[in-house]
Every structure is written in structure tokens, then in C-alpha cells.
């Protein structure tokens, strides 16, 4: 795994590991302040609804997250005062069905009982071969990342651990059930005055200021030299196919 020390620098991934990048941006640096993060219509603090009902019934954090996502996927617009306002737009594109999912959870510090200050989490998961992997990662990654012992002070370490654990669990599940699906993942977490970004795959995180984009993540694609070495070290192949770099023949990763 590879992580960035300070935005926007990223280190190249090691040959046999899951490629992951992480970056940290403090409000007031060269990119200036952060006012919003991409990903649902204005949503209130879920802690007051999902967290309260979950705690009264003695349910687990995983169930609380499930309840939160159920609220977010409903057509209702809940009003409150989250630390960051979130908006989302989804488009299927050329495929016959939507394979992508997202997370958008303001006030997640109250939902999970975190003590790191006002926290908002957003994530985008670009599914391949269906939504199975994307939905699984959405259900697991936020909890793994935000409850990691290293979060948020050692964000790179927390991101590496969280992404790796979710990756390994899904791969074990996929092998056992014959699942062929996969997904990218890019997450943006606002903690106080810091924006923490982590990603794997070719999804992209951008911060826009005065109509100028600042790339916050690194796209891991077969055309990248470090990615090619990693794939080949794992006994895979990288070739040009129909004008694009592909893995093990025609696989677009």
C-alpha cells in the first residue's frame, strides 16, 4: 500500500499490495478553505435519529450504519446543521444499469460516538461487474476507517489499515461465493478544519476553488508505471487493447 504524506504528493504503490493513496489538507493552506464535499441533498445529523433508535435497542455500530444509509436513500430531505453540506448527482452512463454507489454522512462523529470533533464522511464507489463489491465496501469502509485507532491523527496509517482489511474480507468472500465484482473507492472525511482523502482505483477527488480544480487523489490505472509493476509482480499482464491499457487481456481496471 502507498500513502501520501502531505497533499498533493503521493508515494508509488508497492508491487504486491493493494494500491491506496491518502492525503491531508488543512483549511487555510494553498488550496484555501473547504466549504463542501462532493457527494446527498442537505441531510441533518443522523445521530439524532439513527443513533438514538439504535442505542435504545442495543444494536451494533454496523446496524446503526445500515439505518443511516436507509435514511439517506429515502426521498425525504432532513434538515439540521451538519458541519458540511453534501450534495450528490448520479448518472448511469452507457451501461444498462447503475453499478456505482456513494456514502454521504454528516455528523458521523455523533453517529459513531467519535471524540475527534465535528466529522463528515463522503465516499464514491465505482462498481465493476455489478454493484456487489461497491455495496459491500460502502457498508464496511467508513466504520473501519473512522474507528481505526490511528484515526485521525495518523490518517495515512488508518487509511492503509482500513482499506486493506475491507479488501481482504471481500476477496475472501468473493472466492468463497464465486463473486467476480470489484470496485474503486475514494473517500473524503472532514474533521474540524481538515479534509482527509484516501482512494484506491481510478476514481478521482477534486477540490474546486475559484473555478480551479485541485486533484486530491491519485488514479491507480494500468497505464501508470507503478501500477504496471504491481500487476506484473502479481503474475498479471498489462497490454494495450482498443486504445486503452488493460489487465489480463481485455479487463478495464
Amino acid at each position: 500500500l502507498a500513502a501520501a504524506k502531505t497533499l498533493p504528493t503521493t508515494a508509488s504503490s508497492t508491487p504486491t499490495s493493494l494500491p491506496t493513496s491518502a492525503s491531508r489538507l488543512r483549511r487555510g493552506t494553498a488550496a484555501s478553505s473547504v466549504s463542501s464535499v462532493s457527494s446527498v441533498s442537505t441531510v441533518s445529523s443522523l445521530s439524532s435519529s439513527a443513533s438514538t433508535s439504535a442505542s435504545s435497542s442495543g444494536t451494533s455500530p454496523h446496524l446503526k450504519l445500515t439505518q443511516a444509509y436507509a435514511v439517506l436513500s429515502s426521498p425525504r430531505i432532513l434538515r439540521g446543521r451538519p458541519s458540511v453540506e453534501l450534495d450528490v448527482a448520479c448518472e448511469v452512463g452507457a451501461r444498462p444499469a447503475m453499478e456505482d454507489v456513494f456514502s454521504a454522512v454528516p455528523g458521523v462523529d455523533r453517529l459513531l460516538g467519535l471524540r475527534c470533533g465535528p466529522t463528515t464522511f463522503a465516499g464514491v464507489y465505482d462498481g465493476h461487474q455489478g454493484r456487489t463489491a461497491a455495496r459491500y465496501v460502502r457498508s464496511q469502509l467508513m466504520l473501519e476507517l473512522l474507528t481505526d485507532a490511528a484515526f485521525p491523527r495518523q490518517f495515512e496509517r488508518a487509511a492503509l489499515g482500513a482499506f486493506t482489511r475491507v479488501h481482504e474480507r471481500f476477496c475472501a468472500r468473493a472466492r468463497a461465493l464465486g463473486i467476480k465484482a470489484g470496485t474503486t473507492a475514494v473517500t473524503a472525511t472532514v474533521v474540524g478544519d481538515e479534509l482527509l482523502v484516501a482512494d484506491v482505483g481510478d476514481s478521482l477527488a477534486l477540490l474546486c476553488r475559484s473555478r480551479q480544480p485541485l486533484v486530491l487523489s491519485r488514479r491507480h490505472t494500468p497505464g501508470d508505471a507503478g501500477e504496471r509493476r504491481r500487476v506484473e509482480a502479481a503474475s498479471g499482464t498489462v497490454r494495450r487493447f482498443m486504445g486503452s491499457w488493460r489487465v489480463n487481456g481485455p479487463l478495464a481496471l
Side-chain angles (χ1 to χ4, degrees), residues 160-215:
L160 292 174
F163 275 73
T164 300
R165 290 190 295 272
V166 174
H167 169 72
E168 291 176 346
R169 286 204 301 267
F170 179 77
C171 285
R173 180 185 180 92
R175 285 191 293 268
L177 300 178
I179 298 172
K180 302 297 184 182
T183 187
T184 71
V186 56
T187 66
T189 309
V190 179
V191 182
D193 63 353
E194 288 189 314
L195 172 61
L196 310 174
V197 175
D199 74 293
V200 61
D202 63 352
S203 292
L204 194 62
L206 296 172
L207 185 147
C208 294
R209 181 69 174 175
S210 301
R211 298 185 179 183
Q212 296 299 314
L214 175 65
V215 178

Side-chain angles (χ1 to χ4, degrees), residues 40-41 68-78:
V40 89
S41 33
Y69 289 130
V71 173
L72 286 169
S73 62
S74 72
R76 289 186 304 166
I77 297 179
L78 306 178

Side-chain angles (χ1 to χ4, degrees), residues 39 88 90 98-103 123-127 130-139 183-184 186:
S39 278
V88 62
C90 302
M98 172 63 77
E99 297 182 332
D100 310 333
V101 298
F102 67 90
S103 301
V124 173
Y125 316 95
D126 181 357
R131 304 174 75 178
T132 303
R135 284 176 168 173
Y136 180 88
V137 172
R138 178 180 66 176
S139 73
T183 187
T184 71
V186 56

Side-chain angles (χ1 to χ4, degrees), residues 212-236:
Q212 296 299 314
L214 175 65
V215 178
L216 302 184
S217 60
R218 172 190 164 200
R219 300 180 66 188
H220 308 105
T221 64
D224 179 79
E227 279 301 285
R228 180 170 182 169
R229 289 192 297 269
R230 188 183 69 86
V231 171
E232 292 175 343
S235 301

Side-chain angles (χ1 to χ4, degrees), residues 89-118:
C90 302
E91 185 175 347
V92 177
R95 297 189 179 277
M98 172 63 77
E99 297 182 332
D100 310 333
V101 298
F102 67 90
S103 301
V105 190
V108 68
D109 54 302
R110 298 188 295 271
L111 178 64
L112 297 180
L114 305 178
R115 298 183 179 181
C116 54

Side-chain angles (χ1 to χ4, degrees), residues 36-54:
S36 63
V37 176
S38 230
S39 278
V40 89
S41 33
T42 304
V43 180
S44 76
S45 62
L46 295 175
S47 58
S48 58
S49 56
S51 176
T52 302
S53 61

